[in-house]
Amino acid sequence: QVQLVESGGGLVQAGGSLRLSCAASGRISSIDAMAWYRQAPGKQREWVASITSGGTISYLDSVEGRFTISRDNAKNTVYLQMNSLKPEDTAVYFCTQYIDNLDYWGQGTQVTVSS
């Protein structure tokens, strides 16, 4: 049974920083892409950033230059460093990892940015 556990969310003032982590555990042979999504109240879930097993990185335009996605393959963990946070970044953030040809999702972690 594979599980993803997220951590690092919280309340921060505008301009502040947070670092999210998402660790996979269980029986794992290989992990391909890892990504972060977010869902704000009353809105659809949207893709934020992704990183492939080869290290190719992509970002949502509105977070480019402020957020950094990275991965530690030895720890089966993906990170999202979020700087210069804005109130519009407030959302529940979800990680996803493509493990052994299946998509797994974390439980979500709340990020709240106050103005």
Side-chain angles (χ1 to χ4, degrees):
Q1 183 86 10
V2 173
Q3 252 189 330
L4 300 189
V5 178
E6 301 177 27
S7 60
L11 172 64
V12 65
Q13 289 189 332
S17 298
L18 284 173
R19 189 191 194 209
L20 306 182
S21 300
C22 169
S25 62
R27 183 169 292 185
I28 297 170
S29 294
S30 66
I31 304 177
D32 193 354
M34 299 177 174
W36 289 93
Y37 286 72
R38 68 186 180 186
Q39 188 166 19
K43 295 188 177 181
Q44 288 191 331
R45 189 172 298 189
E46 69 174 352
W47 167 82
V48 175
S50 58
I51 181 169
T52 69
S53 57
T56 300
I57 291 173
S58 303
Y59 295 103
L60 180 68
D61 284 350
S62 62
V63 309
E64 180 100 46
R66 299 187 298 121
F67 290 11
T68 302
I69 189 171
S70 61
R71 61 191 286 169
D72 184 334
N73 294 325
K75 296 181 179 180
N76 296 333
T77 298
V78 59
Y79 304 96
L80 187 67
Q81 177 67 43
M82 305 185 293
N83 298 329
S84 302
L85 282 161
K86 304 176 180 180
E88 51 264 42
D89 294 318
T90 294
V92 177
Y93 284 71
F94 299 88
C95 67
T96 179
Q97 297 192 24
Y98 195 66
I99 300 171
D100 298 331
N101 298 317
L102 292 173
D103 263 328
Y104 291 90
W105 288 79
Q107 80 282 4
T109 185
Q110 177 69 47
V111 171
T112 303
V113 185
S114 63
S115 57

